[in-house]
Amino acid sequence: MFILNNSDPVPLYKQLYNQIREQILTGKLPADSKLPSVRHMAIELSASCNTVDGAYQELFAEGYIYSRPRSGHFVSALDRDVAPQTTSGKPGKCDYLPGPPSNFTYDFHPARLDPESFPTELWRKCFVDSLRRNSQQLVQYGDPQGDWGLRCSIQSYLERSRGVLCDPDQIVICAGLQQSLDIVSNILKESHSVVAVENPGYHLPRSVFQSHSYTICPVPVERDGIDLNALKTSNSTIVYVTPSHQLPLGYVMPVANRLALIEWAESGGKFIIEDDYDSELRYHGKPIPSLQGLRPTGNIIYSGTFSKILSPALRLSYMVLPYSLLATYRQRYRDYFPSVSLLEQRTMATFMVQGHWERHIRRMRMIYKKKHDILLRSVESHFGTRAVVIGQGAGLHVVLMLPETPHSEAEILDRALQKGIRLYPFSDFHVNDQPEVTTLLLGFGGMNGSGLEHGTAILSQIC
Amino acid sequence: MFILNNSDPVPLYKQLYNQIREQILTGKLPADSKLPSVRHMAIELSASCNTVDGAYQELFAEGYIYSRPRSGHFVSALDRDVAPQTTSGKPGKCDYLPGPPSNFTYDFHPARLDPESFPTELWRKCFVDSLRRNSQQLVQYGDPQGDWGLRCSIQSYLERSRGVLCDPDQIVICAGLQQSLDIVSNILKESHSVVAVENPGYHLPRSVFQSHSYTICPVPVERDGIDLNALKTSNSTIVYVTPSHQLPLGYVMPVANRLALIEWAESGGKFIIEDDYDSELRYHGKPIPSLQGLRPTGNIIYSGTFSKILSPALRLSYMVLPYSLLATYRQRYRDYFPSVSLLEQRTMATFMVQGHWERHIRRMRMIYKKKHDILLRSVESHFGTRAVVIGQGAGLHVVLMLPETPHSEAEILDRALQKGIRLYPFSDFHVNDQPEVTTLLLGFGGMNGSGLEHGTAILSQIC
């Protein structure tokens, strides 16, 4: 017997559907039993034929009942053992909202940007402009390699500012380094299996290449970048480097080593992945030109990002593939789809074409230079000779070596936490070994001047 | 000898830098030759010391010269054989803009949306609102699994409309199916190696799993979905299915088969990937509830997208991971970054919270039902009994079997092209075999009523 309730907000046909479905699933209505005809059921329930017909149609569409011509509807045979769970089996309900993120008075995150720095109003204008121009383009998939206009803007910016010489055809728009490396891993894996990475170095490339079953070969970093002799004696055929601002140590690879690295790559079809993640941010002199520009036709995969200057939350980056990889890339990714929203790509293109991007870089360079200088002054006045600063003059962080401290990194991180200071382990950058002396990573991008001063003062007391 | 030109827009220090660099690279200034002191060079050039110092600092920073305390600056030793190419070696210059995309009078693309349908004004409002609220959040990386607010909105939508029962904790925001499948491939690859796919079926899953070195096992599709007996005798431990609207044939898997499929998965830790790509679009009766809802605690990975209703260009999709995979997912992707822009995620969350999403679905369902009906009427009046229509009543395309045509698919596609009609090969959905009769895929989302009528009329003449 089924009961329909007119005051229930659930539509009548749905109420009937639910009740019949429940009886089928619990076995009360066995397989092949005949349901009353639509007309009879309607009379029985004092409901309209439409109501009953609606319920039957849904049950039929989902396979709970079947129909025989001129005979009516019958219950389908279901495997009782695997009957579906009712809603009581539901894992949990979302009636809670996320709490606020953990707060620290001083957060030395190495890649946090200035919280007031996002160009909200300009971005809004560029977005609205690109939305209005492109709303008809939103109904289809775009170019998997990225919007052509944005690629042209990036090409001309890279040539002017980074000495990268390429064609927009070589540029792939990506949603961050991890995606670029995923693509590179994929297109190189047929003939390569060992990747050299800097040690200490960024964890992400290790992680991505490992997930593609590559062997990771950590190579020490010297004051002039990755150790070329160690690289040569390894059996790596791909190397991931950060030549313009080594992550995390901040060293610049001199041109002689760059040329030697290019020579290494050219002897035997090896590949260099140049990650030029934050080279816009140099506070003394001009940015170091790219390695790619030294040999535009070489086996160099150049990677750049908008994360360090504009926003890491936009997930917008790019890479420049050498001509030798373009055919494989296209063949492999032809049937794929773009990974970045067309609206965001067009917004960025508009932002660049209107000159906002390069103005924004100059503005950010001034903001971060100020923070950088405050941090260095604070370190000098509070740590004095107890600390050796490495990697200053660029980027969003410096490295502090503390040869005299009695504390390990873990102890300092823990002591800092108790004082409301968040530090990020430098040791995460090391692959198998550990730094010889306790070393701290101090990001300054997200903090204001007084935070940098006070944070450093407190740090100096606990180190 | 160096010459500085005051009327050149290039800054003086940069002119000097360029000239010295050129001489070093061409060997005119040999290794270890001493450069004049800053003061002497300044006098020689009638320039300021700052100009010369600026040039020397840049050359030094890039490693072209080195300095010895109290001796001055010297040219570094560079490997001449691999000296960098000058800008004349540049591959090409971007002084051209992209041409318009190829145009067809009638484009039967199977996943194109109505060109007037994007809710531009509402999207603008939601975007501006989320930009203003979140501009301070843009300076940091967000949750790699996706914005919590959007996950809550999706959870509640899925429960209400698709019968999917899950917790926002299980939802991962992705930039499209290819990324979801990349993640799934990664976290399952240690204990799985054979994936069953529907045949005919969507090419993307085959391609993604293949790139992760899985073996692909094509399983025939019957009128009640994937052939379960064939699946059971295969040695697959993962299956990719489209149970609510089989792609491309449009069949619905009845509940008995769904339960049997769930049972298959539960016997031995196998996994079902349920791709629910367009189930919002059913034109008769309510959408078919998800397979996941029949067994919310089962080994079912549910995938959904905003591409078919809102826009494929936004690259916004989601998947629901079973609890059994969450730990592996988090462990593997903890150090990764989100793949979708925070602004876009928040815009979508606002769009959903304000009720626009469900209103938009209802609006689109009406628009596409109209187009669907026009297409079916046109096929009936122009093809009559020459065509058998499959998969009607849902989605953005129907399938047309042409048992009597003397032409092959390739011939028809070619003849169509000459008449300004773009068709997409149905045979691409087949893995190793070919359809027994010539079969066409007719997408109707992107065309208007008269385009559908005329396009079908012309098609009927050339088939």
Side-chain angles (χ1 to χ4, degrees):
Chain A
M1 186 56 200
F2 307 105
I3 295 160
L4 302 187
N5 178 356
N6 275 303
S7 59
D8 190 325
V10 176
L12 293 176
Y13 88 92
K14 190 82 187 171
Q15 292 181 35
L16 180 59
Y17 160 89
N18 285 337
Q19 291 174 37
I20 299 176
R21 179 177 180 274
E22 187 74 16
Q23 295 210 359
I24 294 173
L25 288 173
T26 54
K28 283 187 195 152
L29 274 175
D32 302 317
S33 56
K34 188 176 185 307
L35 292 184
S37 74
V38 171
R39 209 168 59 86
H40 275 113
M41 179 73 102
I43 292 167
E44 192 179 320
L45 294 169
S46 309
S48 79
C49 283
N50 279 344
T51 300
V52 179
D53 194 50
Y56 280 17
Q57 273 186 24
E58 267 200 64
L59 290 164
F60 176 73
E62 294 172 31
Y64 286 99
I65 59 177
Y66 63 94
S67 74
R68 280 197 211 128
R70 285 178 301 278
S71 304
H73 292 94
F74 299 83
V75 174
S76 305
L78 304 183
D79 186 343
R80 204 70 44 208
D81 292 343
V82 288
Q85 291 155 343
T86 54
T87 41
S88 59
K90 208 203 136 192
K93 187 158 174 60
C94 172
D95 46 11
Y96 49 98
L97 279 169
S102 321
N103 262 322
F104 304 91
T105 317
Y106 312 103
D107 190 338
F108 283 99
H109 192 288
R112 191 141 303 164
L113 310 193
D114 182 90
E116 309 293 336
S117 68
F118 189 78
T120 308
E121 203 42 37
L122 286 172
W123 195 255
R124 184 190 64 76
K125 280 188 186 147
C126 294
F127 176 87
V128 171
D129 185 59
S130 79
L131 174 63
R132 295 217 164 113
R133 281 165 194 263
N134 295 292
S135 67
Q136 293 221 346
Q137 300 302 313
L138 293 173
V139 301
Q140 54 192 334
Y141 294 92
D143 185 336
Q145 205 179 325
D147 177 60
W148 180 260
L150 177 58
R151 288 197 266 146
C152 286
S153 291
I154 290 174
Q155 182 276 331
S156 110
Y157 162 70
L158 287 180
E159 175 169 353
R160 218 164 41 245
S161 303
R162 307 291 312 118
V164 171
L165 299 175
C166 70
D167 198 89
D169 260 345
Q170 296 172 259
I171 297 178
V172 183
I173 308 294
C174 296
L177 180 68
Q178 98 204 20
Q179 201 214 344
S180 310
L181 294 179
D182 252 328
I183 293 173
V184 171
S185 299
N186 250 323
I187 58 184
L188 290 182
K189 79 165 110 188
E190 261 153 48
S191 35
H192 299 262
S193 60
V194 185
V195 182
V197 296
E198 298 168 326
N199 188 27
Y202 191 28
H203 70 82
L204 196 69
R206 300 199 296 266
S207 168
V208 174
F209 278 103
Q210 252 160 357
S211 84
H212 285 270
S213 310
Y214 283 83
T215 303
I216 305 298
C217 175
V219 176
V221 169
E222 311 289 328
R223 285 206 70 94
D224 49 8
I226 197 164
D227 181 335
L228 291 171
N229 291 323
L231 175 64
K232 283 171 191 165
T233 56
S234 80
N235 57 348
S236 323
T237 55
I238 303 173
V239 64
Y240 166 89
V241 285
T242 49
S244 295
H245 188 222
Q246 202 274 331
L247 185 63
L249 294 171
Y251 298 141
V252 175
M253 185 187 287
V255 67
N257 290 45
R258 291 176 184 230
L259 294 173
L261 188 62
I262 289 172
E263 192 185 24
W264 168 84
E266 290 190 346
S267 63
K270 307 189 189 85
F271 283 91
I272 300 167
I273 301 168
E274 174 182 19
D275 186 5
D276 203 24
Y277 63 105
D278 74 350
S279 53
E280 286 94 354
L281 297 175
R282 279 201 90 76
Y283 309 123
H284 305 293
K286 295 278 278 186
I288 308 295
S290 68
L291 197 152
Q292 196 270 3
L294 293 173
R295 185 57 52 103
T297 56
N299 285 345
I300 301 165
I301 297 154
Y302 175 89
S303 165
T305 179
F306 297 105
S307 290
K308 299 294 182 289
I309 301 283
L310 189 60
S311 160
L314 292 180
R315 313 311 300 130
L316 200 50
S317 74
Y318 48 86
M319 67 173 164
V320 178
L321 288 177
Y323 272 104
S324 57
L325 292 181
L326 272 189
T328 317
Y329 163 73
R330 295 231 171 95
Q331 192 261 323
R332 196 69 75 91
Y333 284 87
R334 184 181 48 196
D335 296 334
Y336 278 39
F337 301 108
S339 42
V340 180
S341 161
L342 180 73
L343 279 182
E344 192 163 289
Q345 293 188 64
R346 295 264 163 109
T347 304
M348 189 69 217
T350 308
F351 193 79
M352 293 181 92
V353 163
Q354 297 186 351
H356 303 313
W357 167 240
E358 282 171 75
R359 272 194 293 278
H360 186 67
I361 294 177
R362 290 194 289 274
R363 198 181 129 229
M364 296 318 295
R365 203 181 278 142
M366 276 165 53
I367 289 176
Y368 293 129
K369 179 179 189 323
K370 216 175 264 177
K371 297 188 184 206
H372 165 268
D373 292 352
I374 292 172
L375 177 62
L376 288 198
R377 273 202 309 274
S378 304
V379 167
E380 192 177 346
S381 78
H382 294 294
F383 282 87
T385 56
R386 287 191 295 140
V388 180
V389 178
I390 300 178
Q392 66 270 51
L396 294 171
H397 76 273
V398 298
V399 169
L400 225 61
M401 288 176 63
L402 302 171
E404 298 169 21
T405 183
H407 304 292
S408 69
E409 177 190 270
E411 282 164 3
I412 293 179
L413 261 64
D414 192 51
R415 289 158 68 91
L417 218 51
Q418 290 166 24
K419 301 278 187 184
I421 298 178
R422 183 154 195 198
L423 295 174
Y424 297 81
F426 179 82
S427 57
D428 279 0
F429 288 88
H430 278 261
V431 185
N432 300 317
D433 55 346
Q434 283 298 307
E436 284 170 26
V437 303
T438 300
T439 305
L440 302 182
L441 195 68
L442 298 185
F444 51 82
M447 282 209 273
N448 60 24
S450 77
L452 286 166
E453 279 166 8
H454 295 139
T456 313
I458 300 171
L459 259 190
S460 76
Q461 291 157 17
I462 59 171
C463 286
Chain B
M1 186 58 200
F2 306 105
I3 296 160
L4 302 188
N5 178 355
N6 276 302
S7 59
D8 189 325
V10 177
L12 293 174
Y13 87 94
K14 190 80 187 174
Q15 292 180 36
L16 181 59
Y17 160 89
N18 285 336
Q19 292 174 38
I20 299 177
R21 178 177 180 275
E22 188 72 17
Q23 295 209 1
I24 293 173
L25 287 173
T26 54
K28 283 186 193 152
L29 274 174
D32 302 317
S33 56
K34 188 177 185 305
L35 292 183
S37 74
V38 171
R39 209 167 59 85
H40 276 112
M41 180 72 103
I43 292 167
E44 194 180 319
L45 294 169
S46 308
S48 79
C49 284
N50 280 343
T51 299
V52 180
D53 196 49
Y56 280 18
Q57 273 186 23
E58 267 200 63
L59 291 164
F60 176 74
E62 296 173 31
Y64 287 99
I65 62 176
Y66 62 94
S67 74
R68 283 199 210 123
R70 285 179 303 278
S71 304
H73 291 95
F74 300 83
V75 173
S76 305
L78 304 184
D79 187 342
R80 204 70 45 207
D81 293 341
V82 286
Q85 292 154 341
T86 54
T87 40
S88 57
K90 206 204 137 194
K93 188 158 172 59
C94 172
D95 46 11
Y96 48 97
L97 280 170
S102 321
N103 261 322
F104 303 91
T105 317
Y106 310 103
D107 191 336
F108 283 98
H109 192 289
R112 192 141 301 163
L113 310 195
D114 182 90
E116 310 293 336
S117 68
F118 189 78
T120 308
E121 203 41 37
L122 286 171
W123 194 256
R124 184 191 65 75
K125 279 189 187 147
C126 294
F127 177 87
V128 170
D129 184 61
S130 80
L131 174 63
R132 294 217 165 112
R133 281 166 194 263
N134 294 293
S135 68
Q136 293 222 348
Q137 299 303 313
L138 293 173
V139 303
Q140 53 192 333
Y141 294 91
D143 184 336
Q145 205 179 325
D147 177 59
W148 180 259
L150 178 57
R151 288 196 267 146
C152 286
S153 290
I154 290 174
Q155 181 277 328
S156 109
Y157 162 69
L158 286 180
E159 177 170 349
R160 218 166 37 245
S161 303
R162 307 292 312 119
V164 170
L165 299 175
C166 70
D167 200 90
D169 260 344
Q170 295 172 259
I171 296 178
V172 183
I173 308 294
C174 296
L177 180 68
Q178 99 203 22
Q179 201 213 346
S180 309
L181 294 179
D182 253 327
I183 294 173
V184 171
S185 299
N186 250 323
I187 58 183
L188 290 183
K189 78 166 111 188
E190 261 153 49
S191 35
H192 299 262
S193 59
V194 184
V195 182
V197 296
E198 297 167 326
N199 189 26
Y202 192 29
H203 71 82
L204 197 70
R206 300 199 296 265
S207 169
V208 174
F209 278 102
Q210 250 160 359
S211 85
H212 286 270
S213 308
Y214 283 82
T215 303
I216 304 299
C217 175
V219 176
V221 171
E222 312 288 330
R223 285 205 73 93
D224 50 6
I226 196 164
D227 180 337
L228 291 171
N229 290 324
L231 175 65
K232 282 173 192 165
T233 56
S234 80
N235 57 347
S236 323
T237 55
I238 304 174
V239 65
Y240 166 88
V241 284
T242 49
S244 295
H245 188 222
Q246 203 273 332
L247 184 62
L249 294 173
Y251 298 142
V252 175
M253 185 187 286
V255 68
N257 290 43
R258 291 177 184 229
L259 293 173
L261 188 63
I262 290 171
E263 192 186 23
W264 169 84
E266 290 189 345
S267 62
K270 308 191 190 84
F271 283 90
I272 300 166
I273 302 169
E274 175 183 19
D275 186 4
D276 203 25
Y277 64 104
D278 74 350
S279 53
E280 287 94 354
L281 296 175
R282 280 201 91 76
Y283 310 124
H284 304 293
K286 296 278 280 183
I288 308 294
S290 69
L291 196 153
Q292 196 270 3
L294 291 175
R295 185 58 53 102
T297 57
N299 284 347
I300 301 165
I301 297 154
Y302 175 89
S303 166
T305 180
F306 296 105
S307 290
K308 298 295 181 286
I309 301 283
L310 190 59
S311 160
L314 293 179
R315 315 309 301 131
L316 200 51
S317 73
Y318 48 87
M319 66 174 165
V320 178
L321 288 176
Y323 272 104
S324 58
L325 292 181
L326 272 188
T328 318
Y329 164 74
R330 295 232 170 93
Q331 193 261 323
R332 195 70 74 91
Y333 284 87
R334 184 182 50 195
D335 296 335
Y336 278 39
F337 301 109
S339 42
V340 179
S341 161
L342 181 71
L343 279 183
E344 192 163 289
Q345 293 187 63
R346 296 264 165 110
T347 304
M348 189 69 219
T350 307
F351 193 79
M352 293 181 91
V353 163
Q354 296 185 353
H356 303 312
W357 168 241
E358 282 171 74
R359 271 193 294 278
H360 186 67
I361 293 177
R362 288 194 290 274
R363 199 181 128 229
M364 296 318 294
R365 204 180 279 143
M366 274 164 56
I367 290 176
Y368 293 130
K369 179 180 189 322
K370 215 175 266 178
K371 297 189 186 210
H372 165 269
D373 292 352
I374 292 173
L375 177 62
L376 288 199
R377 271 201 310 274
S378 306
V379 167
E380 194 178 344
S381 77
H382 294 294
F383 281 87
T385 55
R386 287 191 296 141
V388 180
V389 178
I390 300 178
Q392 64 272 51
L396 294 170
H397 76 273
V398 298
V399 169
L400 224 61
M401 288 175 65
L402 302 170
E404 298 168 21
T405 183
H407 303 294
S408 70
E409 176 190 270
E411 282 164 2
I412 293 178
L413 261 64
D414 193 50
R415 289 159 67 93
L417 217 53
Q418 290 167 23
K419 301 279 186 185
I421 297 179
R422 184 156 193 195
L423 295 174
Y424 297 81
F426 179 83
S427 56
D428 279 1
F429 287 88
H430 278 260
V431 185
N432 300 317
D433 54 348
Q434 284 297 310
E436 284 171 25
V437 301
T438 300
T439 305
L440 303 182
L441 196 67
L442 298 186
F444 51 82
M447 283 208 274
N448 59 25
S450 76
L452 287 166
E453 279 165 10
H454 295 136
T456 313
I458 301 171
L459 259 189
S460 75
Q461 289 156 18
I462 59 172
C463 284

